[in-house]
Structure formats: C-alpha cells, structure tokens
Amino acid sequence: MRPLRLAVMLEQALEVGGGFQQPLNDVLWLRDWAAKSGNEIVVYSPYPQTQRILKEFGIEARLLKFSVLDHAFLFLKYCGPFDLVQIGLKLKSLFERALVRDGIDVVHFTSTSKRHLLLYQLPFVITIFDGCHRDAPEFPEVRAFGEFERREILFGLGSMKAVLVVVNAPELVEDLSRRYAVERSRMVQIPFSPSIYVASSGDGAAGRDEAVLKKYRLEPNYLFYPAQFWLHKNHITLLAALARLRDQGRIERLVLCGSDRGGRDKIEAAIAAYGLADQVSILGFVESSELGALYRSAAALVMPSYFGPTNLPPLEAWAVGTPVIYPEAFKAQAGDAAILFDYDDPDSLANAIISLRAAGTSQRLREAGERRLQQLASETELGRQHFAQQMDRLKHRLALMPR
C-alpha cells in the first residue's frame, strides 16, 4: 500500500499568538507521525514568514495563497444553491486543483479553516479549538457583521463532513455532539501542548531573560497576561482588580503583550480612568523567542479570558514553573494547578492575587503545575495514538478507491 500523502495547512499568521503556536506544534508532531508510519506530509501556508519559521525546524513548506477565484468560490458556497451548480458541473476550486496536482490524498486543517468549503474531491481532517461563538455570543468578535452565521456554517459543515475532527478537550466532544450531531467515533481528543518556543527556552536562560527584561524596561515579579486585545480577553476586569488592590495599599505591576484586534483603545482608556499608568506596561506583539523570559520573570500568569474551555498560556506558564491564576469556569483544564476566580467579579480576581502572595503558595502552584503538565502530556500521547489508528483506517479505505 502506497504512503498516504497528507496536506497540512498552517493558515494562521504569526501575530495570532496561540492560534499560530498550537498549529505549529501540530505540524511538528505530524512530521514525526509521518516518519514513524511510513506516510508523507506536505505543509502549506499562505505566508512567506511561516515558510521561514518552518525552515528553522527543518520543514520545507509550500506557499499556497488563495486566489480571487477561490474567494469567489467561498462566497458562492456560503450562498447554498451554488452547491447544485458545483455538483452538476463537477467544478473544483483552484485551491483543490493545486492539492490534487501535488498528489494529496487528505487535507489536514490545523485550525477551523473556511478552506474546507473549497474541497469537492479531497477528504479532510479539521481542528476545532472551541465553540465560543455559542458559549458567549454577546462579544462582537463572534457575533457582529455576520461572524456568528459564518462560524455556524464553518463549524456545522466542517464537523459533519470531516473524516476526523480534532479537539483539545472532552467538553468540546460533548458540545459538537450536542450542537451539530457529530459522531463521537469521528472525534479525536488531543490536548494543547506548550509552545515549543517556551518549552525549549530554559537552557542558559538567565542571560537571555535579563536581556529581554532590559529591552522592555521591566523588573521581575510582575503579573503577566499575554493575549491579543479582543474584548473577550477581559483585560478590563483585571484592571479593575488592580485598582481595588491599589486602594487597599497593594501595588501590583502588570505586563500585557499581544497584537491589537480592536480592543486596545478601550484598555488604554481604562488604564487612564483607573489611574494605573504607572503599574501597567503594554509591550504589543512580542517575538516568540522572548515569551519564555517574560513568563519566567513573572510572579504569575493571570488570564481572565471568557473563552475556553482550554487555553495555551497556562501550559506555557507551567512549563517554566510560573504560577497560574485562572477562571474557575475552566477548572477542568487547570485542576489544582491554579488559583481560581470568577471572571465576572473583580473582587474575586483581586482576592486570587492576594492569595498568590501568601507564603508557600507559589511553590505549591509550581509543583502542581508540573504534575498537571505531565498528566496532559500523557493524554496528548494517547490522543496522538488514537489519531494514528484512525489514519490507518482511512488509508485502508482510500486504497479501495480510484485515485
């Protein structure tokens, strides 16, 4: 039986942060899976910068941009009746034609990509990180200007048509099964893994950490929140908590980093309104190679995001021994390795920060974080084994069909 040729789509831009780092991890372990199983992967991205990053890891990615005709296909696919025309004329998008010319058998989308709508012939695997447009539809980034409807089309068709759906938590298995009637047998659970840039940043770190702190004019022992400036990231509750602590005579410094997705103006206005300018540093987007230093130098990761049920930063914090303060709504991910709080209550978050400073708390959280990371690593390995088994079955079935 000839090798299965798997296209791996890395479509997220570097500036997306965790949305890029997790797909990058996926590319790396899929490369290992292909080598062990005798199959092949071909990595595609629309970004030359991603090509350069992958080259650092010994992967030669192919540049595959999306043409005007591909975008026209997508628009028409959103309009439903085009499906009948496509079936009748057996039309293939330029995107799919390029993959077929490269001898691709299956397409693996490492994020919830709209490009699956361009596939007429090729089967695909899709990754779904969350269902937060259903969990918290009040936020404009998942509701306004047809975004909710667009996501429903992508999630619904993607999860129902995919030969395999990759999720990162059991809650997502439940949600997809309930919301879109996806068969559980077609879902594979593979938890998030820490960014390779953070997980591998510890050797000889002291000098590099000092250089990063000097670059951004920071002193250690701050609270750290790496997140894009979306409203759902809930920076405002964190700022309100800092203001309450200051009014109690407790001064906590906060470091924020991430690209602006339309919410930074509101955050800067809140910093001014609360009088926190001397306590808050906004670094903007930082290089992946600097994240390890910023985590290690922090007293804790504080992440009040409304979107879950899982997030990447807690794993990165645990990987370098940094304590975590995290919403109680996502306790299933954190276990006992975080101080939990109510993400709608600034007082609850303020009390969590006070708890962090209690004697022995940081050490307890570091040890618990290490254990939690080991548990998740074991679950990840089981998930990857399940994925390999499913791909073997798919390979057998595709061998029965004309190519």
Side-chain angles (χ1 to χ4, degrees):
M1 189 180 300
R2 73 176 179 83
L4 189 71
R5 195 165 171 84
L6 182 72
V8 182
M9 309 303 299
L10 184 50
E11 298 179 56
Q12 300 279 24
L14 177 63
E15 292 76 15
V16 176
F20 173 85
Q21 298 297 339
Q22 192 56 44
L24 175 61
N25 282 349
D26 290 340
V27 170
L28 297 178
W29 75 258
L30 285 167
R31 175 184 60 182
D32 295 340
W33 160 78
K36 292 175 182 176
S37 63
N39 294 304
E40 301 172 358
I41 69 165
V42 183
V43 182
Y44 297 88
S45 174
Y47 301 108
Q49 183 182 26
T50 300
Q51 279 186 301
R52 292 191 291 271
I53 291 170
L54 289 172
K55 198 166 187 177
E56 297 173 6
F57 296 97
I59 297 174
E60 294 289 340
R62 300 187 184 186
L63 192 67
L64 182 57
K65 293 182 177 292
F66 306 106
S67 70
V68 173
L69 286 176
D70 286 328
H71 286 289
F73 254 75
L74 284 173
F75 175 77
L76 292 170
K77 289 288 285 188
Y78 283 128
C79 297
F82 177 67
D83 290 339
L84 299 177
V85 178
Q86 188 179 21
I87 292 169
L89 299 179
K90 296 186 178 180
L91 295 174
K92 294 190 183 75
S93 64
L94 295 181
F95 170 71
E96 184 167 36
R97 290 178 190 178
L99 297 175
V100 171
R101 282 197 304 270
D102 287 346
I104 297 301
D105 298 304
V106 183
V107 183
H108 188 308
F109 294 104
T110 57
S111 57
T112 312
S113 171
K114 59 188 176 185
R115 314 296 174 191
H116 73 78
L117 296 173
L118 295 172
L119 298 180
Y120 175 85
Q121 172 185 339
L122 295 174
F124 64 90
V125 176
I126 196 163
T127 303
I128 296 182
F129 291 142
D130 60 55
C132 291
H133 69 292
R134 288 283 198 100
D135 300 332
E138 61 271 25
F139 290 100
E141 49 263 43
V142 295
R143 185 195 73 249
F145 303 108
E147 180 63 19
F148 185 95
E149 290 77 9
R150 187 186 73 86
R151 290 192 180 212
E152 276 298 283
I153 292 171
L154 295 183
F155 281 62
L157 285 177
S159 59
M160 288 188 287
K161 189 179 178 182
V163 295
L164 204 61
V165 180
V166 179
V167 299
N168 58 73
E171 295 93 326
L172 286 174
V173 174
E174 297 297 326
D175 288 346
L176 293 174
S177 178
R178 183 180 72 257
R179 292 169 178 171
Y180 305 111
V182 183
E183 293 81 1
R184 294 170 184 268
S185 61
R186 286 195 294 109
M187 287 188 269
V188 173
Q189 182 188 326
I190 304 177
F192 283 156
S193 300
S195 162
I196 189 169
Y197 289 101
V198 174
S200 63
S201 66
D203 295 337
R208 292 196 304 275
D209 289 2
E210 184 178 349
V212 171
L213 293 184
K214 184 176 180 181
K215 173 182 175 179
Y216 293 111
R217 300 179 181 179
L218 301 175
E219 295 293 330
N221 207 34
Y222 49 79
L223 304 175
F224 184 44
Y225 187 20
Q228 299 180 84
F229 292 101
W230 293 108
L231 294 179
H232 73 262
K233 294 297 186 181
N234 200 19
H235 294 82
I236 304 299
T237 296
L238 177 52
L239 296 175
L242 292 188
R244 283 163 168 73
L245 291 172
R246 181 204 53 209
D247 294 343
Q248 298 171 22
R250 297 174 178 268
I251 303 300
E252 292 284 353
R253 290 176 297 112
L254 173 65
V255 174
L256 305 174
C257 70
S259 52
D260 185 11
R261 297 291 172 172
R264 180 163 171 169
D265 287 348
K266 294 183 184 300
I267 293 163
E268 290 178 340
I271 290 171
Y274 283 122
L276 294 171
D278 293 338
Q279 293 175 233
V280 181
S281 299
I282 300 181
L283 310 185
F285 177 77
V286 303
E287 297 295 328
S288 300
S289 59
E290 297 175 336
L291 278 174
L294 293 171
Y295 274 111
R296 271 189 298 272
S297 302
L301 164 73
V302 183
M303 187 168 192
S305 175
Y306 284 109
F307 282 11
T310 58
N311 289 283
L312 187 58
L315 282 78
E316 295 178 330
W318 294 329
V320 298
T322 298
V324 173
I325 300 175
Y326 203 44
E328 60 190 5
F330 309 140
K331 183 179 180 179
Q333 182 187 19
D336 65 349
I339 301 174
L340 303 176
F341 68 96
D342 181 347
Y343 49 25
D344 283 317
D345 184 354
D347 288 325
S348 176
L349 178 49
N351 290 334
I353 295 171
I354 292 172
S355 298
L356 170 74
R357 300 301 186 178
T361 299
S362 291
Q363 183 59 35
R364 174 183 66 79
L365 290 173
R366 290 188 187 97
E367 293 171 357
E370 184 177 353
R371 290 194 301 270
R372 184 64 182 134
L373 205 58
Q374 291 172 351
Q375 292 168 356
L376 290 171
S378 297
E379 293 175 17
T380 296
E381 181 57 32
L382 289 175
R384 291 174 180 175
Q385 291 174 12
H386 185 197
F387 173 89
Q389 293 166 358
Q390 294 289 74
M391 294 304 288
D392 282 342
R393 291 181 177 277
L394 179 59
K395 180 178 179 179
H396 174 77
R397 295 177 186 186
L398 291 179
L400 305 177
M401 305 173 193
R403 304 284 178 98

